[in-house]
Amino acid sequence: MNDAVGIVGLGQMGTPIARHLLEAGFPVVGYDLDPVRAGDLVAAGGRSCGSPREVAGEASTVITSLPSADALRAVLRGRDGLLAARPRQPLVIVETSTLALDDKQSARHDAETAGATLLDCPLSGTAAQAHAKDIVVYASGDAAAVEACGPVFTAFARSYHHLGPFGAGSQMKIIANLLVAIHNVAAAEAFVLAAKAGIDRSSLYEVIADGAGTSRMFEARGPSMVAGAYDQPGVTGRVFHKDLQIIADFARTHDCPTPLFSATVPVYLASLAHGFGDRDIAAVCAVLEQLASVERPPGGRP
C-alpha cells in the first residue's frame, strides 16, 4: 500500500489532486480552513485533519496549494503549522503555489531550519485541467526528493519535469503565465472581432481550434467566451492579478522588455474594475466586447 500523502489547501487545485491520489491508491490526509472543502475530502475517501501540524504528523510528503505568501507562512510557521510537527520520518513539502521567488526562498529557509525539505513545484494548468489530470508539475529543488515524489506527481499530473535547483520551477511558471496572459487576451480579441464581423462564435471556435492559430488558452477558455459564461473559474481575475505582478517584477529584475505582456495588463485591470474579479480570466472577453460595443442578446450570444 502507498504511504499517505498530505494536502494543505483543498481549493480549486488541491481538491482534484486529492481525488486523483485517492484513485491511484494513496491514502490522503488534508487540511483546509473551509469545513465544506474538508468534508468533500472525507466524502471522497480521504481524512480531514484539524491543522497542518496534524497533517505533517500523518504524512511524510505534504502538498501545499495556497493563495498567498502570507498563507504559506502561516501554514509553515504557525503555532499548528507543518514545521511545528515532529514527523516520524523526514518531511518533504511539495509547494505548488504561484508565488514570488523571494517568498519561495524564505519558505525553503524555514523548512531547512526545521529539518524538512521544501520543493518548489508550481503547476501548469487550470482547475478544469486538474480535474482531467491534464496539468504539468514544474519541479525544482533537491533531486533525490523530486525523484522520490515521482509516483505522487504521476498520480495527479499528466507529466512532471525536474528543472534543476530550487526556484527553477517558479521561474518556468512565471514565463508560462506570461504566455497565458497574452494568449488569453488574444483569444478574447479574436472572438470580439468575429462578433463585429458577424461570424458565429461556435463556428470560429471549431475552425480556429483545428488550425495553426489555436493555442491551449484558446481551446481551454474559448468555450467560456463563446457562451459568455465566466462563473466557473479555472483561475479568478483577482488571483491572476497577483500573478501579473509577479511576472512584471521578474521581467524588471532581468531588465527584459515585455511589450505584448505589458499591453495585456490594462485589460486585466479593466476586468477587475468591471466586477469580474471573482470570475474566470476569460472574462476579459466581456471587457473587450464593451470597448467594441458588442452586445449579446439576453440568454444568447451574437
Side-chain angles (χ1 to χ4, degrees):
M1 184 175 181
N2 292 316
D3 293 335
V5 176
I7 301 181
V8 177
L10 296 166
Q12 290 183 322
M13 302 301 280
T15 290
I17 287 172
R19 178 172 60 81
H20 289 307
L21 287 169
L22 288 164
E23 291 173 350
F26 287 92
V28 175
V29 295
Y31 171 77
D32 196 280
L33 290 171
D34 186 340
V36 173
R37 293 174 176 174
D40 289 342
L41 174 63
V42 174
R47 190 170 78 80
S48 174
C49 294
S51 68
R53 178 176 184 165
E54 186 179 344
V55 172
E58 297 290 333
S60 58
T61 301
V62 177
I63 299 168
T64 53
S65 178
L66 303 164
S68 68
D70 287 342
L72 178 58
R73 279 190 287 271
V75 162
L76 291 180
R77 294 165 22 188
R79 186 175 185 178
D80 287 316
L82 292 173
L83 301 180
R86 294 185 179 275
R88 290 170 293 186
Q89 50 191 320
L91 178 64
V92 175
I93 302 167
V94 178
E95 213 308 290
T96 67
S97 316
T98 302
L99 302 172
L101 283 167
D102 286 348
D103 293 321
K104 291 267 187 157
Q105 292 288 3
S106 177
R108 178 196 184 193
H109 176 266
D110 290 338
E112 289 183 346
T113 300
T117 298
L118 189 135
L119 299 176
D120 171 40
C121 300
L123 308 175
S124 176
T126 66
Q129 288 174 297
H131 280 284
K133 198 182 170 184
D134 188 28
I135 57 175
V136 178
V137 181
Y138 294 158
S140 62
D142 183 84
V146 170
E147 183 178 0
C149 288
V152 173
F153 296 151
T154 56
F156 69 80
R158 171 165 52 85
S159 63
Y160 74 94
H161 301 275
H162 184 205
L163 300 173
F166 187 95
S170 281
Q171 292 185 48
M172 189 69 73
K173 179 61 186 292
I174 291 168
I175 294 168
N177 273 354
L178 176 145
L179 290 169
V180 167
I182 294 168
H183 290 170
N184 182 56
V185 172
E189 191 171 286
F191 277 108
V192 173
L193 178 57
K196 292 288 285 188
I199 300 171
D200 178 75
R201 290 172 185 254
S202 294
S203 177
L204 179 84
Y205 178 75
E206 180 180 355
V207 173
I208 296 299
D210 193 40
T214 193
S215 70
R216 288 300 293 271
M217 282 301 98
F218 183 90
E219 294 173 21
R221 293 196 155 86
S224 294
M225 295 178 185
V226 169
Y230 312 113
D231 291 334
Q232 299 295 323
V235 60
T236 66
R238 208 173 308 282
V239 168
F240 199 62
H241 178 66
K242 175 257 300 179
D243 296 345
L244 295 176
Q245 188 61 56
I246 291 172
I247 296 166
D249 290 344
F250 184 69
R252 192 177 303 112
T253 297
H254 292 279
D255 297 323
C256 183
T258 53
L260 292 180
F261 166 74
S262 298
T264 72
V265 173
V267 183
Y268 288 104
L269 293 177
S271 181
L272 294 179
H274 282 78
F276 293 114
D278 294 322
R279 298 187 183 183
D280 189 81
I281 59 171
V284 295
C285 188
V287 174
L288 295 182
E289 285 173 348
Q290 292 185 31
L291 289 174
S293 299
V294 171
E295 295 185 5
R296 293 177 182 261
R301 55 179 180 262

